[in-house]
Amino acid sequence: MCSSSASSFFKTVTSRLTLRYAILITLVSVAFFGIISLALTKSLAIRMDEDLTNEIREMETIYHVRGIEELRRQIDFEIESEGTNRMFIRVMDPRGEVLVTTDMSSWGSIHPPGGREDLREGDEVIETLQMPGKSNNARVASKRIAGGGILQIGSTLQDDEELMEVYREGSALAVMIMLVSGGVMGWFMARRAMAGVERVTRTAVSIGKADLVSRVPLGNEGEEINNLAQAFNDMLERIRGVVTELKDVTNHIAHDLRSPLTRIRGIAETTMTGRQQTVDDYREMAEIVVEESDRLVGMINVMLDIAMTEAGVQDAIKEDVNISRLIESTEEIFQAIAEDKGVAFQVNVPRERLFVRGNLPQLQRMISNLLDNAFKFTPAGGSITLSLEERDTHAVVVVADTGIGIADQDLPRVFEQFYRGDRSRTTPGNGLGLSHVKAIVHAHKGDIRVESTPAQASVFTVILPLTVPVG
Ligand code: ADP
């Protein structure tokens, strides 16, 4: 239990960011202190070498100009202030015999007399040597002087090494402090950055408990978090719209199913319990049952058709449909209806044949639905025009009528399933015709628009991409 909560803690973005901040700050501080340490070591070494070089030259001058006795006095003077365990000076003749030397008891066998045969006259060498029996090193300068002798000056590096040791310990402590403060700082920064994400999560959880009204409040953690919150809120708004639409559709279906089913049930009840009826009465009742059932089945079929067209599982859009010919054939069918209703019906098709990639039965259904409505809502004496034209790379089908028009408040909703304008309640219909048209148009990658002058005219415009038929 404990280990699983620990492992889930290490899976959080906050803990990972904290770890990364801490590691980054530690690496940066290690690099910083490392570079300083290198620079310090180098500058100490340079200073030490300069001191040794100056010292050896001074001794050499004294030896040559004033002789060995003066050199001895100078050495005694030097060694008095430095101490024999911190510095040594000695002069050897060409055979390696020591002519002058300070007390070498602290220096043991460091660089034995007679060594450095490799040096030629005037050559000078400075090297770091381990002090015998001690943990410190020493820096030793050797020079072959005129006459073949060797002048040597050694200085302990104890002070420099102790200084560096103190520096290293201080740096290690500073790195530890940086590691801890980097972790704490990282933790606060990560918590702050993740606060917005947690707000989105809290809202998502509350929505999981069936609350579609909640929205993620926008904060000041940064634009990315606000963009995430905004995208989430937009998505919620769309989901709420879809759910509301779904509820409306369900209500409509329930309502539209109830009346015919109640009628069918009433007839069945009369047949079972009512007085004896004549054969004609029974036939009439059966006709009503068939008629209501057909209406129900028709409605269900249209709904299924719309759902399948929207989902793209209808017959594939795979043939080149001659839409010019399709519209001309429609003219023949609807001309008879127009004469019956006393409405003028005109069809305009350009001479050049236009083709769209599509599904013929669906396109037929699209045009019939639009014309059905036009005839339904246009009283005698009015006129209806169906026209086809080519616009750039598109075929444009326009159905215009001089009917009852569409009220401004109905216009944006006429393509919704089951939506029926107030003025059309008295005409037959189920509010599915235009949503079917819209589903077909979208399945053909087209677009549909409607314009209307209320109480006067309506114009439906369908735009479909043209295709060039093969062969
Ligand atoms: P239905 O025609 O069965 O009512 P539709 O989906 O075909 O359903 O149309 C939805 C609504 O759009 C209609 O109820 C009507 O109010 C309005 N409408 C559609 N076409 C026209 C038209 N040509 N003239 C006036 N109103 C129309």
Side-chain angles (χ1 to χ4, degrees):
M1 174 76 188
C2 187
S3 78
S4 84
S5 67
S7 80
S8 67
F9 169 77
F10 283 111
K11 278 182 196 152
T12 62
V13 177
T14 308
S15 65
R16 287 178 189 181
L17 277 179
T18 305
L19 203 67
R20 279 176 205 167
Y21 280 131
I23 291 174
L24 188 72
I25 288 184
T26 309
L27 288 179
V28 169
S29 49
V30 165
F32 173 77
F33 288 118
I35 290 168
I36 300 271
S37 162
L38 282 178
L40 204 59
T41 312
K42 185 128 182 91
S43 97
L44 287 173
I46 290 171
R47 204 190 61 192
M48 169 65 79
D49 288 0
E50 275 173 7
D51 286 353
L52 286 174
T53 308
N54 291 339
E55 193 76 25
I56 213 164
R57 282 181 194 157
E58 193 186 331
M59 295 296 160
E60 186 185 11
T61 312
I62 293 171
Y63 176 60
H64 284 306
V65 176
R66 305 217 192 122
I68 190 92
E69 282 311 312
E70 184 54 34
L71 178 63
R72 187 172 285 129
R73 265 198 296 281
Q74 183 63 33
I75 288 173
D76 289 345
F77 174 73
E78 287 282 341
I79 226 67
E80 210 172 300
S81 60
E82 285 294 327
T84 53
N85 54 348
R86 303 182 65 77
M87 187 181 192
F88 78 85
I89 304 175
R90 62 185 170 189
V91 183
M92 290 160 276
D93 68 10
R95 284 168 289 131
E97 293 298 322
V98 176
L99 301 176
V100 184
T101 183
T102 54
D103 177 5
M104 294 296 286
S105 51
S106 314
W107 300 84
S109 60
I110 196 163
H111 219 302
R116 305 266 38 151
E117 280 81 8
D118 53 319
L119 289 181
R120 283 177 293 139
E121 194 176 307
D123 280 356
E124 183 184 322
V125 67
I126 303 178
E127 55 205 327
T128 301
L129 302 170
Q130 167 81 50
M131 282 185 71
K134 292 189 181 165
S135 57
N136 300 114
N137 291 315
R139 198 80 176 139
V140 178
S142 308
K143 183 167 189 181
R144 189 163 297 277
I145 51 179
I150 295 251
L151 177 59
Q152 252 188 346
I153 302 181
S155 177
T156 174
L157 288 173
Q158 189 179 354
D159 287 352
D160 293 358
E161 284 173 356
E162 276 172 9
L163 177 72
M164 287 312 297
E165 189 55 34
V166 170
Y167 173 81
R168 266 192 288 276
E169 280 169 13
S171 304
L173 187 69
V175 169
M176 291 300 289
I177 292 170
M178 296 299 268
L179 176 74
V180 174
S181 55
V184 173
M185 232 167 68
W187 169 260
F188 278 113
M189 281 165 70
R191 290 284 310 157
R192 204 174 139 64
M194 296 319 288
V197 178
E198 276 167 16
R199 257 184 309 120
V200 179
T201 312
R202 272 199 301 278
T203 312
V205 170
S206 77
I207 286 156
K209 293 173 189 155
D211 164 24
L212 274 179
V213 190
S214 294
R215 293 290 177 270
V216 185
L218 301 187
N220 55 1
E221 292 91 357
E223 211 180 314
E224 296 89 338
I225 299 289
N226 276 348
N227 288 347
L228 172 71
Q230 193 56 55
F232 190 76
N233 287 345
D234 291 349
M235 185 185 75
L236 280 179
E237 201 51 51
R238 280 199 300 278
I239 292 176
R240 200 158 76 104
V242 171
V243 169
T244 314
E245 209 174 296
L246 216 64
K247 274 188 193 157
D248 285 355
V249 168
T250 317
N251 286 342
H252 279 298
I253 294 174
H255 180 266
D256 283 24
L257 287 182
R258 199 165 52 186
S259 348
L261 284 176
T262 312
R263 246 182 120 192
I264 291 170
R265 191 180 183 285
I267 290 171
E269 213 169 87
T270 315
T271 317
M272 271 164 38
T273 57
R275 62 183 166 77
Q276 197 68 33
Q277 311 261 348
T278 65
V279 173
D280 283 346
D281 287 340
Y282 282 125
R283 181 170 292 123
E284 197 183 320
M285 284 193 280
E287 273 168 12
I288 295 172
V289 170
V290 169
E291 191 186 301
E292 291 294 351
S293 308
D294 282 353
R295 210 150 67 83
L296 279 177
V297 172
M299 190 178 89
I300 290 166
N301 280 344
V302 174
M303 281 169 57
L304 281 176
D305 230 33
I306 293 174
M308 288 197 289
T309 310
E310 278 176 348
V313 290
Q314 265 275 357
D315 304 341
I317 312 280
K318 55 176 184 266
E319 43 179 330
D320 289 332
V321 177
N322 184 335
I323 193 154
S324 309
R325 195 185 311 142
L326 171 62
I327 286 184
E328 283 162 357
S329 63
T330 313
E331 180 178 12
E332 290 159 21
I333 303 163
F334 280 86
Q335 206 54 264
I337 301 170
E339 276 164 27
D340 273 0
K341 269 204 88 173
V343 170
F345 180 46
Q346 198 188 339
V347 176
N348 305 320
V349 180
R351 193 187 297 273
E352 200 191 335
R353 305 285 80 183
L354 301 183
F355 290 82
V356 296
R357 188 117 192 111
N359 177 289
L360 182 60
Q362 282 189 8
L363 292 172
Q364 275 168 336
R365 162 78 29 227
M366 176 192 89
I367 292 172
S368 309
N369 280 6
L370 290 173
L371 284 176
D372 280 343
N373 278 347
F375 278 98
K376 200 159 63 178
F377 297 114
T378 305
S383 70
I384 295 167
T385 316
L386 167 64
S387 44
L388 172 70
E389 57 184 85
E390 183 179 357
R391 218 179 278 165
D392 298 328
T393 53
H394 289 84
V396 180
V397 180
V398 180
V399 178
D401 65 56
T402 57
I404 62 170
I406 303 171
D408 286 343
Q409 75 270 15
D410 293 335
L411 210 56
R413 302 195 58 192
V414 289
F415 294 108
E416 288 175 19
Q417 281 191 31
F418 295 104
Y419 190 82
R420 306 197 74 207
D422 273 346
R423 298 197 57 203
S424 56
R425 293 275 150 83
T426 47
T427 56
N430 52 21
L432 288 173
L434 284 182
S435 49
H436 200 182
V437 169
K438 190 178 100 176
I440 294 170
V441 171
H442 285 175
H444 283 75
K445 297 188 170 55
D447 197 10
I448 180 161
R449 292 174 208 150
V450 58
E451 289 158 286
S452 178
T453 310
Q456 281 183 31
S458 306
V459 181
F460 287 86
T461 308
V462 174
I463 301 163
L464 297 169
L466 278 172
T467 184
V468 181
V470 187

